[in-house]
Amino acid sequence: MGLTKLAAALTLATAALLGGAGAATAATASAPAAQPAAVQAARSCGYYSGTATFRLGSTGSGVREIQCLVNLMVGGKKLDVDGIFGANTDSVIRSIQRCAGLAADGIVGPKTWQALRSTKTC
């Protein structure tokens, strides 16, 4: 089931549970439901879903996720998705941190993860 249909079904079920399944149900069923903000504002490549800290010298699936998200954020292939946090990854992360108004320290922690996973482009 698509997100729009799922959202409409949930809206209908909620209205029915709350006793307001009358006129609101008909209007809701015909109008496409907007995606929740969390769905709209989240981006993922599927390598890693956590928020652990990564920096120059880090390796693994978390770094692959960072590199892939960078490529999505800049609208093209900026980094090789090789899982090695090298000088190129460090440099691009610092640029993205500046763009996002964060301290440009090259360390990917919770705030940088949030910026990378947002739909904003730099």
Side-chain angles (χ1 to χ4, degrees), residues 50-72:
T51 58
T53 302
F54 293 88
R55 59 177 48 89
L56 188 63
S58 296
T59 60
S61 59
V63 177
R64 281 187 197 87
E65 183 75 9
I66 291 165
Q67 293 165 330
C68 178
L69 290 171
V70 163
N71 290 341
L72 291 174

Side-chain angles (χ1 to χ4, degrees), residues 7-26 28:
L10 289 173
T11 302
L12 293 173
T14 302
L17 288 172
L18 296 175
T25 304
T28 306

Side-chain angles (χ1 to χ4, degrees), residues 94-119:
R94 289 174 190 266
S95 294
I96 288 172
Q97 288 171 325
R98 281 190 289 277
C99 172
L102 302 173
D105 57 9
I107 298 170
V108 179
K111 290 180 182 177
T112 302
W113 276 115
Q114 183 177 13
L116 287 169
R117 289 182 173 136
S118 76
T119 56

Side-chain angles (χ1 to χ4, degrees), residues 35-53:
Q35 289 183 337
V39 173
Q40 291 176 343
R43 188 178 0 216
S44 174
C45 294
Y47 294 103
Y48 176 79
S49 61
T51 58
T53 302

